[in-house]
Amino acid sequence: MKHEETIIVLDFGSQYTQLIARRIRENKVFCEILPFNRDPQEYRHKNLKGIVLSGGPSSVFDQNAPICEKRVFELGVPVLGICYGLQLIGKLSGGEMERSHRREYGKAVIQIDKENSLFSEVKTNTAVWMSHGDHLSTLPPQFEVLAHTENIPFAAIGNKNKKIFGLQFHPEVAHTEEGMRILQNYLFGICRCEGSWTTESFIDTTISGIRDLVKDGKVILGLSGGVDSSVCAALINKAIGKQLHCILVDNGVLRKDEAREVISAFSDSGLNLKLIDASEKFLSGLKGVVDPEEKRKIIGRTFIEVFEDEAKKIKDVEFLVQGTLYPDVIESTPFKGPSATIKSHHNVGGLPEEMNLKLIEPLRELFKDEVRELGRKLNLPQGLIGRHPFPGPGLAVRILGEVTREQLAVLREADDIYISELKKTDMYDRIWQAFCVLLPVQTVGVMGDERTYENVIALRAVTSLDGMTADWARIPPEILGKISNRIINEVKGVNRVVYDISSKPPATIEWE
């Protein structure tokens, strides 16, 4: 896919690398994250406007410190180093570094030393977010000081002739008051970007690309009703219409009325959609299974079997669609360095190679918020676009222990009450993910004049940017009270409701 302009972010392992890319894209400039050691020859042919060196947990004094090639600075485009990126610029350009006596972490105030394009229209004293252990002690030749703090003399440096700049702080985080302005100065004042990467241009380019690729061929897509698969379906349906065959598999562990709602959401779109009720096959496979990883394997394996069987009924299929997102691609890339966690993601590579289908991944360059915006432009209902993430194994991993029809019925009703009450307020859209968990314990209670010994439902709700870290959502007590009362009064078999106030880390979002 071609773009008018591209900013490359070289990843040195910073927890904020994806956030840098998101901030750049918010300014309608296309941005791509690559490992720090990627050969510059591989991206110099792009319409490259600039390169950002991310921060990272390493020290330039480490024996195996991640270091990019010097050719990065010889491509003729502006370079911006952030935190570790500044230190690397200093080291590679002939400056001197020293270890700080104490790590500087948190809020600081920079003082801008002179007018320069990077700090254009930024106030002289502005709050920034620091996170570093080393700092530059001697400027490299041809560099000048752009800003300092009370603790460090070189909070920002620049070589105007070569257009190489370094920031010891993080402009991408919300704690840096004028961080977005500084990034905009870099993008538009220094890199001369136009900001032409819009949702509309993405739709037009992607539709054109799909039509050129598919021609008269047939395409299949597993539609779950989640945001990613729904946007994929709407986008490809717009491109090729009836050549797209969507398969919705009811695996028996969906939420209440979920299959019906998905079909209803696409009823006016002309989408070629087939519902397969395979719930009996899935639930039979789960009988007696309590290990959460085994549940996931059984559901994944059974889905592939069902999907393959249905795909074979459609003659001459050539292409398979997957809703791979950009974070999936990043996490699945075998980086060699500090962010070397290689993750085999369920959306990257997913279905078996023996299907012999060519893969179409129309969302693989997008973050989740960009996918939601794309869905809005494609006129998908808000109920689909704003839907919380839902795991592939569904309710099976929200029942701790064996999955039975009886337990599923209890969990479905409780979950439906929980979500419906959140949607009556503005809480649902302020929460990243909310769901019920059926616990494998029973507790004593009193209903009327009788003692009961019934199930416990745990409510889980978290706020998050991308699911990598999360904090428990502060739902007002009166809303929690109403939810609890409704579940206990309306769901037979439940006499106690608890609320999970664990953050990630150390807990995970899901319980299994």
Side-chain angles (χ1 to χ4, degrees):
M1 183 173 172
K2 296 180 180 179
H3 298 277
E4 296 180 2
E5 52 194 7
T6 299
I7 298 289
I8 294 295
V9 176
L10 294 183
D11 179 24
F12 291 86
S14 171
Q15 60 179 319
Y16 300 129
T17 297
Q18 289 193 28
L19 185 56
I20 297 170
R22 292 167 67 92
R23 292 288 182 259
I24 293 172
R25 290 185 180 199
E26 285 170 12
N27 286 284
K28 299 181 180 179
V29 176
F30 182 72
C31 175
E32 188 174 353
I33 298 172
L34 296 176
F36 72 89
N37 52 3
R38 181 64 59 87
D39 186 344
Q41 285 294 123
E42 295 183 28
Y43 53 81
R44 69 178 304 164
H45 67 278
K46 297 175 181 282
N47 189 2
L48 191 62
K49 292 293 185 178
I51 298 171
V52 177
L53 311 181
S54 82
S58 300
S59 165
V60 292
F61 294 106
D62 292 346
Q63 184 176 355
N64 296 316
I67 298 177
C68 60
E69 293 192 32
K70 283 191 175 182
R71 284 185 295 159
V72 167
F73 304 101
E74 300 167 0
L75 297 178
V77 297
V79 176
L80 176 66
I82 296 174
C83 196
Y84 177 83
L86 174 145
Q87 297 162 20
L88 191 60
I89 288 172
K91 179 175 181 176
L92 295 178
S93 301
E96 293 183 10
M97 303 295 304
E98 69 178 36
R99 294 187 184 276
S100 299
H101 296 298
R102 61 185 180 88
R103 180 178 175 83
E104 189 172 30
Y105 183 85
K107 187 177 180 180
V109 176
I110 62 166
Q111 294 183 336
I112 298 173
D113 292 304
K114 61 180 67 177
E115 288 188 11
N116 61 84
S117 54
L118 191 60
F119 290 107
S120 176
E121 298 184 31
V122 175
K123 61 186 180 183
T124 303
N125 298 307
T126 184
V128 300
W129 186 259
M130 294 284 188
S131 177
H132 65 96
D134 306 329
H135 67 265
L136 189 66
S137 58
T138 303
L139 271 179
Q142 301 179 39
F143 278 76
E144 59 183 348
V145 183
L146 304 182
H148 70 277
T149 72
E150 185 178 344
N151 293 325
I152 57 173
F154 308 126
I157 63 173
N159 182 327
K160 293 181 180 179
N161 293 330
K162 293 186 176 181
K163 293 185 178 180
I164 301 174
F165 300 88
L167 302 173
Q168 188 57 75
F169 57 90
H170 290 272
E172 70 275 15
V173 303
H175 304 294
T176 296
E177 288 180 343
E178 298 185 79
M180 185 61 91
R181 165 60 65 187
I182 295 169
L183 287 175
Q184 288 170 342
N185 287 339
Y186 171 70
L187 295 173
F188 302 112
I190 297 173
C191 296
R192 302 296 181 186
C193 293
E194 297 177 2
S196 57
W197 193 69
T198 64
T199 305
E200 289 84 358
S201 67
F202 177 86
I203 291 173
D204 292 342
T205 304
T206 304
I207 285 176
S208 176
I210 289 170
R211 286 173 178 166
D212 289 344
L213 175 66
V214 173
K215 297 183 173 61
D216 297 326
K218 292 180 182 179
V219 179
I220 57 170
L221 182 155
L223 180 61
S224 69
V227 179
D228 306 337
S229 68
S230 296
V231 171
C232 274
L235 183 61
I236 296 179
N237 186 51
K238 190 175 178 70
I240 60 174
K242 294 297 182 182
Q243 291 170 249
L244 172 65
H245 296 259
C246 293
I247 300 171
L248 172 59
V249 177
D250 183 348
N251 58 12
V253 288
L254 300 180
R255 288 169 289 193
K256 186 178 180 180
D257 298 327
E258 190 158 20
R260 180 182 60 78
E261 290 174 0
V262 173
I263 292 171
S264 175
F266 286 96
S267 60
D268 297 328
S269 67
L271 187 70
N272 190 1
L273 173 60
K274 183 178 182 181
L275 172 64
I276 306 300
D277 185 355
S279 54
E280 187 60 46
K281 184 179 180 69
F282 280 87
L283 294 179
S284 296
L286 290 169
K287 189 174 181 179
V289 178
V290 297
D291 179 72
E293 191 59 31
E294 188 61 26
K295 289 182 193 176
R296 292 176 184 274
K297 289 179 180 178
I298 289 169
I299 290 172
R301 188 165 57 241
T302 307
F303 175 81
I304 290 173
E305 292 172 3
V306 173
F307 192 86
E308 278 189 295
D309 287 343
E310 290 304 317
K312 289 174 183 175
K313 297 176 184 177
I314 305 169
K315 293 183 179 180
D316 303 322
V317 172
E318 295 180 52
F319 301 92
L320 168 70
V321 179
Q322 286 192 332
T324 309
L325 301 192
Y326 197 41
D328 303 335
V329 176
I330 296 167
E331 291 171 2
S332 301
T333 302
F335 285 21
K336 296 178 181 177
S339 49
T341 302
I342 302 172
K343 179 180 177 183
S344 178
H345 197 279
H346 67 278
N347 271 342
V348 181
L351 291 171
E353 294 181 3
E354 56 264 28
M355 289 189 74
N356 294 318
L357 299 176
K358 300 170 188 173
L359 200 59
I360 298 177
E361 298 174 301
L363 310 180
R364 68 178 284 116
E365 294 178 334
L366 303 183
F367 289 105
K368 194 76 171 189
D369 54 340
E370 295 169 335
V371 174
R372 295 189 197 279
E373 177 61 24
L374 181 58
R376 293 185 187 96
K377 296 294 183 182
L378 293 168
N379 298 315
L380 284 174
Q382 180 58 34
L384 277 184
I385 297 168
R387 179 176 162 176
H388 291 177
F390 187 62
L395 299 181
V397 290
R398 292 176 179 174
I399 294 174
L400 305 193
E402 183 182 4
V403 178
T404 67
R405 289 188 181 276
E406 293 74 23
Q407 289 170 321
L408 283 166
V410 170
L411 184 56
R412 280 196 184 99
E413 291 302 320
D415 196 71
D416 185 61
I417 291 171
Y418 183 25
I419 298 303
S420 65
E421 287 297 329
L422 290 178
K423 286 182 175 179
K424 289 178 182 178
T425 69
D426 63 346
M427 288 304 301
Y428 184 83
D429 291 330
R430 290 162 57 188
I431 290 170
W432 165 264
Q433 195 170 3
F435 55 90
C436 289
V437 181
L438 182 60
L439 305 187
V441 294
Q442 291 185 316
T443 65
V444 68
V446 178
M447 290 187 176
D449 295 325
E450 297 181 359
R451 289 169 65 86
T452 60
Y453 198 62
E454 293 180 333
N455 295 300
V456 179
I457 287 286
L459 306 180
R460 179 70 158 145
V462 297
T463 56
S464 179
L465 181 66
D466 52 15
M468 301 299 288
T469 61
D471 193 16
W472 61 277
R474 272 63 171 176
I475 299 176
E478 57 272 20
I479 297 177
L480 285 174
K482 186 174 182 180
I483 292 166
S484 175
N485 287 338
R486 280 199 60 194
I487 290 174
I488 291 171
N489 289 329
E490 299 175 31
V491 182
K492 188 175 181 181
V494 177
N495 68 357
R496 192 178 299 268
V497 174
V498 298
Y499 188 54
D500 181 351
I501 59 169
S502 309
S503 297
K504 175 186 178 181
T508 55
I509 296 177
E510 296 284 348
W511 279 44
E512 281 196 345

